[in-house]
C-alpha cells in the first residue's frame, strides 16, 4: 500500500474515531436531556393537576381528570391511598370501577413514601410503553398520576438519530475530502524524495532534492543529497577502477579468465579469446562448453578443493599454440570461491627449445662426420700407412684437409649465426652503391663458376640509388646466394644477378637454372641445417647454415628475403632492402 493511502486512511480513521466518539457522547447527552425535559414537563403538569383537583369543585372527578388530561396532553389517573382508581382519563367513566388496584405500582409506592414517584413500563390498558409520574395530593392524601407514551420519546430519539446520521454523513464527506487533500499535501515531498531515490538508484547523476518542504522533509532531503554525492563519488571511483582494470586486461599479452564457484566464466580479456581462437562473448557460459581442455578443467577443480595455486600445460589445436595456465583462488566473503586463471603463451619458448634441441642434434651430427673422417685417416696414417703406402699419403692428407676445411667452415658459420641471433653483431652502416658490392661478389665467385661450367651474369644498372648498408655483411649475403646457385646448377647453367627499384625498396634477385626446390620445402629453406637434399648438400661442401645467415643479415637491414622456385627450371632468391635508411 502506498504511503499516500496510508496517510489518507490514517487521517480518515482519526477523523471518524473523533467524530464517532463525539456523536456518541452528544447522542447520550441529548437523550438524557430529552428525558429530563419530559420529566420536568410531567412534574409541572402533575403540580398543576394537583392544584386543579384541590381548588375546583362541582364537577365529577372523572370530568376534572379528563379536563386536566386534555390540557396536559397526558393520561391522568386519580388514585386513593389504598390504590383504588378514583378517576382515569384513559378509560370511560363506567369502566373506572373495573380497573385493578394500583397500590403495588412502583410509582405509587414511591409517591406514598416520597410524595413523588417515577416508573416506565408496558401498559396493558393502552398496549404501549408508558412513562409514569405520581405525586401526592395534599391534604387528603390522594395520588394523581400522569402518564406519557414512550412513543413520544422514541420519536424524539429517532429524530435525533436522523439528525446525527446526517451530521455523520457530512463529516464523512468533509473528512474524506480533507484526508485526500492532507494526504496529497503531506505525501508530495515524499513523492519527490521517492522519485529522486529511484533516479539515483538507476545510476543518474546530478540528482538533488530541493529543500523547503518542512524541517522533517528537509532533513531527509539533506541525507538523500549527501548519500547521492557519496554514491556518485563511489561510482566514479569504481568506473575509474573498472576502466583501469579493463585497460590493463586489454593490454596484457597473457590471457585472463575468471570463473565462479559453479565453473561459469565471468570475465575474459581479448588475449584469452585470441589464444583459444574464440569470437563473440563467452561471459556467462560454462567453462566446459567454451574451453574443451580436460587438463584445465581438472586443474581448476583440484584448486577449488585444495585451495592452493595450480599450474598445467595445455595445447590448443584450433590455434596450434601451447599455453601454461596458472590459477589462483579468488577469495570472497562466503565459502564459495571463484578462480582467476592466467594463460601464458609458451609456444615460442617451446619452439625455441625445440630449435635448440634440433640445433644441438644437427651440430652434433654435422661435426661428427668430418671429425670421424679426420680421426679415421689420421689413425690410419699413424698406424703405418704413411710408410707402407707412400703413394696414397697425399690422398689421405687431402681428405683430412678437405674435412678440416669443412669443419672450419661449419664452426665459422655457427659462430656467425650465433652472433647474428644474439644481436651481438653491430652493423657499420654507410651509404653505398649496391652495384659495387654485387660486382665484387661476382668477381670473387667467378673462378668458382668457371670451374663448374656456370655462366655468371650481372645485370645491375649504374643508376641505382645508394642504400644504407654494412657492405661486408651484404657482400656475405651475395656470396652465399651466388654460391648456392652455382652449387645446385648443372654444368652449362646460368646464374643471373639483377637489381631494380620498386616501391621505395631495392630489389636484388639471384636466379639460377638449377634443379629447383619442391614447393613443400620452400617455407623451411631458411631454417638452420635444413637441406632439401642432405646428401647432395654435403657433397657440395655446404653447412646448411648459409641461407639462415642470409635471412638474419637482411633482417638486420630492415629487409626481407624470399624464395620462389620451380623444380627442374630453377630458383630465384629475392632480397628487399629499404632505400635511404636501415
Amino acid at each position: 500500500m502506498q504511503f499516500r493511502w496510508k496517510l489518507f486512511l490514517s487521517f480518515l480513521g482519526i477523523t471518524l474515531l473523533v467524530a464517532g466518539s463525539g456523536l456518541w457522547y452528544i447522542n447520550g447527552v441529548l437523550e438524557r436531556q430529552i428525558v429530563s425535559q419530559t420529566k420536568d414537563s410531567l412534574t409541572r403538569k402533575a403540580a398543576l393537576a394537583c392544584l386543579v383537583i384541590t381548588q375546583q369543585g362541582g364537577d365529577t372527578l372523572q370530568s376534572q381528570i379528563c379536563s386536566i388530561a386534555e390540557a396536559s396532553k397526558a393520561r391522568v389517573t386519580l388514585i386513593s391511598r389504598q390504590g383504588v382508581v378514583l378517576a382515569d382519563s384513559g378509560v370511560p367513566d363506567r369502566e373506572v370501577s373495573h380497573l385493578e388496584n394500583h397500590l403495588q405500582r412502583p410509582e405509587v409506592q414511591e409517591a406514598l413514601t416520597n410524595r413523588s414517584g417515577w416508573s416506565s413500563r408496558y401498559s396493558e390498558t393502552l398496549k404501549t410503553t408508558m412513562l409514569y409520574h405520581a405525586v401526592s395530593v395534599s391534604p387528603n392524601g390522594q395520588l394523581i398520576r400522569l402518564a406519557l407514551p414512550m412513543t413520544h420519546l422514541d420519536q424524539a430519539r429517532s429524530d435525533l438519530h436522523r439528525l446525527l446520521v446526517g451530521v455523520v454523513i457530512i463529516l464523512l464527506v468533509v473528512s474524506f475530502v480533507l484526508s485526500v487533500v492532507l494526504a496529497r499535501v503531506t505525501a508530495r515531498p515524499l513523492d519527490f524524495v521517492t522519485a529522486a531515490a529511484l533516479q539515483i538508484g538507476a545510476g543518474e547523476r546530478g540528482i538533488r532534492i530541493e529543500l523547503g518542504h518542512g524541517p522533517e522533509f528537509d532533513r531527509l532531503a539533506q541525507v538523500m543529497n549527501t548519500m547521492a554525492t557519496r554514491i556518485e563519488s563511489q561510482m566514479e571511483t569504481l568506473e575509474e577502477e573498472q576502466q583501469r582494470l579493463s585497460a590493463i586486461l586489454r593490454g596484457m599479452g597473457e590471457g585472463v579468465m575468471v570463473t565462479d564457484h559453479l565453473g561459469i566464466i565471468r570475465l575474459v580479456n581479448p588475449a584469452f579469446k585470441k589464444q583459444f581462437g574464440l569470437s563473440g562473448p563467452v561471459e556467462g557460459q560454462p567453462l566446459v562448453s567454451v574451453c574443451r581442455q580436460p587438463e584445465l578443467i581438472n586443474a581448476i577443480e583440484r584448486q577449488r578443493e585444495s585451495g592452493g595455486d595450480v599450474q598445467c600445460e595445455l595445447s590448443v589445436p584450433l590455434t596450434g599454440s601451447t599455453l601454461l595456465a596458472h590459477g589462483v583462488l579468488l577469495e570472497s566473503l562466503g565459502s564459495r570461491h571463484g578462480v582467476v586463471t592466467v594463460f601464458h603463451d609458451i609456444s615460442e619458448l617451446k619452439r625455441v627449445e625445440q630449435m635448440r634441441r634440433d640445433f644441438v642434434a644437427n651440430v652434433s651430427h654435422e661435426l661428427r662426420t668430418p671429425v670421424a673422417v679426420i680421426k679415421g685417416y689420421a689413425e690410419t696414417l699413424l698406424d703405418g700407412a704413411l710408410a707402407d703406402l707412400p703413394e696414397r699419403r697425399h690422398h689421405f692428407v687431402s681428405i683430412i684437409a678437405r674435412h678440416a676445411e669443412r669443419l672450419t667452415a661449419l664452426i665459422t658459420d655457427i659462430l656467425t649465426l650465433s652472433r647474428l641471433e644474439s644481436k651481438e653483431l653491430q652493423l657499420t652502416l654507410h651509404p653505398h652503391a649496391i652495384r659495387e658490392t654485387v660486382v665484387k661478389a661476382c668477381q670473387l665467385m667467378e673462378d668458382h663458376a668457371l670451374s663448374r661450367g656456370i655462366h655468371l651474369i650481372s645485370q645491375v644498372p649504374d643508376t641505382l640509388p645508394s642504400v644504407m648498408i654494412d657492405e661486408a655483411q651484404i657482400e656475405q649475403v651475395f656470396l652465399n646466394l651466388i654460391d648456392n646457385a652455382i652449387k645446385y646448377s648443372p654444368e652449362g647453367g646460368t646464374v643471373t644477378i639483377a637489381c631494380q627499384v620498386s616501391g621505395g625498396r631495392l630489389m636484388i634477385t639471384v636466379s639460377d637454372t638449377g634443379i629447383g626446390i619442391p614447393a613443400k620445402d620452400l617455407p623451411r629453406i631458411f631454417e638452420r641445417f635444413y637441406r632439401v637434399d642432405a646428401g647432395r648438400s654435403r657433397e657440395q661442401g655446404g653447412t646448411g647454415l648459409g641461407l639462415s645467415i642470409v635471412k638474419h643479415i637482411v633482417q638486420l637491414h630492415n629487409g626481407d628475403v624470399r624464395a620462389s622456385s620451380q623444380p627442374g627450371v630453377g630458383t630465384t632468391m629475392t632480397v628487399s632492402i629499404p632505400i635511404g635508411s636501415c
Side-chain angles (χ1 to χ4, degrees):
M1 182 181 293
Q2 295 183 356
F3 181 73
R4 179 179 299 174
W5 286 106
K6 292 181 180 179
L7 284 177
F8 165 71
L9 295 178
S10 299
F11 290 148
L12 186 61
I14 292 173
T15 302
L16 292 178
L17 179 62
V18 174
S21 301
L23 292 176
W24 176 79
Y25 175 77
I26 292 173
N27 179 61
V29 170
L30 292 178
E31 284 190 357
R32 288 192 298 271
Q33 186 175 0
I34 291 173
V35 172
S36 176
Q37 289 177 356
T38 302
K39 287 184 177 182
D40 290 344
S41 176
L42 283 177
T43 301
R44 289 191 297 271
K45 290 176 181 180
L48 181 60
C50 290
L51 181 61
V52 171
I53 290 296
T54 57
Q55 293 182 358
Q56 288 186 358
D59 292 339
T60 62
L61 290 174
Q62 183 68 20
S63 61
Q64 292 179 359
I65 292 301
C66 290
S67 299
I68 294 171
E70 184 178 356
S72 62
K73 306 299 182 182
R75 180 184 177 184
V76 182
T77 305
L78 185 63
I79 306 170
S80 67
R81 291 185 64 84
Q82 291 76 28
V84 177
V85 177
L86 302 177
D88 192 333
S89 64
V91 297
D93 187 25
R94 61 180 178 275
E95 296 180 1
V96 171
S97 59
H98 298 292
L99 294 175
E100 63 180 8
N101 191 286
H102 286 21
L103 182 62
Q104 300 302 321
R105 303 293 169 87
E107 67 277 7
V108 174
Q109 290 292 323
E110 185 178 356
L112 291 176
T113 304
N114 301 323
R115 299 184 60 85
S116 177
W118 293 90
S119 177
S120 176
R121 66 180 178 277
Y122 184 77
S123 174
E124 294 293 339
T125 303
L126 299 178
K127 306 300 182 182
T128 186
T129 302
M130 303 292 288
L131 176 63
Y132 297 97
H133 178 51
V135 295
S136 176
V137 181
S138 298
N140 54 15
Q142 294 176 343
L143 302 174
I144 188 169
R145 187 185 70 175
L146 277 73
L148 282 176
M150 294 295 289
T151 55
H152 171 70
L153 294 176
D154 293 339
Q155 182 63 37
R157 188 179 289 108
S158 298
D159 294 342
L160 176 61
H161 289 168
R162 283 195 294 272
L163 176 62
L164 293 178
V165 169
V167 172
V168 168
I169 293 175
I170 294 174
L171 286 176
L172 283 176
V173 174
V174 174
S175 298
F176 180 82
V177 174
L178 290 177
S179 298
V180 171
V181 173
L182 289 175
R184 288 185 176 179
V185 171
T186 305
R188 185 176 295 113
L190 287 180
D191 291 340
F192 295 152
V193 173
T194 302
L198 290 175
Q199 290 176 311
I200 293 172
E204 296 186 27
R205 300 186 181 182
I207 304 300
R208 297 296 183 269
I209 303 172
E210 297 182 358
L211 304 180
H213 298 288
E216 294 81 5
F217 287 106
D218 286 351
R219 289 183 61 188
L220 178 60
Q222 290 174 353
V223 172
M224 292 291 295
N225 291 339
T226 303
M227 182 182 68
T229 302
R230 292 180 179 176
I231 290 176
E232 289 179 4
S233 177
Q234 292 176 355
M235 288 179 62
E236 291 176 357
T237 302
L238 289 175
E239 287 178 356
E240 291 177 359
E241 292 294 334
Q242 185 176 5
Q243 291 176 357
R244 188 178 297 112
L245 176 61
S246 178
I248 292 173
L249 290 176
R250 289 197 306 270
M252 289 180 62
E254 295 81 7
V256 178
M257 176 186 68
V258 180
T259 56
D260 61 14
H261 65 283
L262 297 177
I264 305 299
I265 297 177
R266 295 304 177 190
L267 177 67
V268 297
N269 67 339
F272 173 86
K273 293 183 178 180
K274 182 178 179 181
Q275 288 172 345
F276 285 87
L278 302 174
S279 60
V282 298
E283 289 83 354
Q285 300 184 31
L287 175 61
V288 293
S289 63
V290 174
C291 177
R292 302 181 184 277
Q293 296 288 338
E295 302 91 346
L296 177 62
I297 297 172
N298 294 334
I300 292 178
E301 290 298 330
R302 290 196 309 271
Q303 184 176 35
R304 290 200 189 97
E305 296 174 358
S306 63
D309 297 354
V310 296
Q311 285 188 352
C312 67
E313 187 176 306
L314 56 145
S315 299
V316 183
L318 189 61
T319 60
S321 58
T322 302
L323 305 177
L324 178 64
H326 180 210
V328 295
L329 208 60
L330 183 62
E331 298 292 341
S332 61
L333 296 178
S335 58
R336 298 177 178 179
H337 303 288
V339 176
V340 179
T341 309
V342 179
F343 298 88
H344 304 273
D345 191 344
I346 59 173
S347 302
E348 184 64 20
L349 294 176
K350 288 289 185 180
R351 188 184 70 83
V352 171
E353 179 65 20
Q354 184 61 41
M355 288 178 61
R356 186 188 65 81
R357 288 195 295 267
D358 293 343
F359 180 76
V360 172
N362 289 328
V363 167
S364 300
H365 180 72
E366 294 294 334
L367 292 176
R368 185 183 300 114
T369 301
V371 169
V373 171
I374 293 172
K375 181 181 178 183
Y377 280 98
E379 289 176 349
T380 301
L381 292 174
L382 290 175
D383 287 340
L386 187 59
D388 298 339
L389 300 172
E391 70 279 3
R392 302 195 62 181
R393 58 186 178 185
H394 182 270
H395 175 66
F396 287 175
V397 173
S398 64
I399 293 175
I400 292 175
R402 186 170 67 252
H403 283 278
E405 290 176 0
R406 180 184 171 193
L407 186 61
T408 302
L410 179 61
I411 293 174
T412 301
D413 285 349
I414 290 174
L415 292 176
T416 301
L417 186 61
S418 176
R419 291 176 59 202
L420 291 171
E421 290 184 342
S422 64
K423 310 299 182 182
E424 292 180 1
L425 181 65
Q426 298 296 326
L427 298 180
T428 304
L429 300 176
H430 297 285
H432 194 78
I434 198 69
R435 184 177 185 280
E436 296 179 4
T437 306
V438 173
V439 170
K440 186 182 295 185
C442 290
Q443 291 175 350
L444 292 174
M445 300 301 297
E446 186 174 3
D447 291 341
H448 181 44
L450 291 176
S451 66
R452 300 180 64 88
I454 304 298
H455 300 286
L456 191 59
I457 302 173
S458 174
Q459 297 177 347
V460 181
D462 298 334
T463 58
L464 291 175
S466 298
V467 290
M468 295 291 292
I469 60 173
D470 185 322
E471 183 183 5
Q473 298 300 326
I474 293 298
E475 182 180 322
Q476 181 66 42
V477 169
F478 293 149
L479 290 175
N480 286 358
L481 293 179
I482 295 173
D483 183 51
N484 277 350
I486 294 173
K487 287 177 181 177
Y488 296 101
S489 294
E491 185 176 354
T494 302
V495 175
T496 305
I497 300 93
C499 294
Q500 64 177 355
V501 177
S502 176
R505 302 178 73 87
L506 186 62
M507 315 295 290
I508 307 102
T509 60
V510 179
S511 304
D512 62 54
T513 57
I515 60 176
I517 303 172
K520 64 181 182 63
D521 294 311
L522 279 175
R524 302 190 60 188
I525 61 174
F526 293 100
E527 295 180 8
R528 293 173 296 184
F529 297 110
Y530 186 81
R531 295 183 176 91
V532 177
D533 186 346
R536 180 181 176 88
S537 177
R538 290 191 182 93
E539 289 177 3
Q540 300 294 335
T543 64
L545 297 175
L547 290 181
S548 183
I549 292 174
V550 167
K551 182 188 72 171
H552 282 83
I553 293 176
V554 173
Q555 288 178 347
L556 286 176
H557 286 78
N558 288 336
D560 64 82
V561 58
R562 59 183 181 273
S564 60
S565 180
Q566 185 175 353
V569 176
T571 301
T572 299
M573 294 289 179
T574 304
V575 176
S576 172
I577 299 176
I579 298 175
S581 63
C582 176

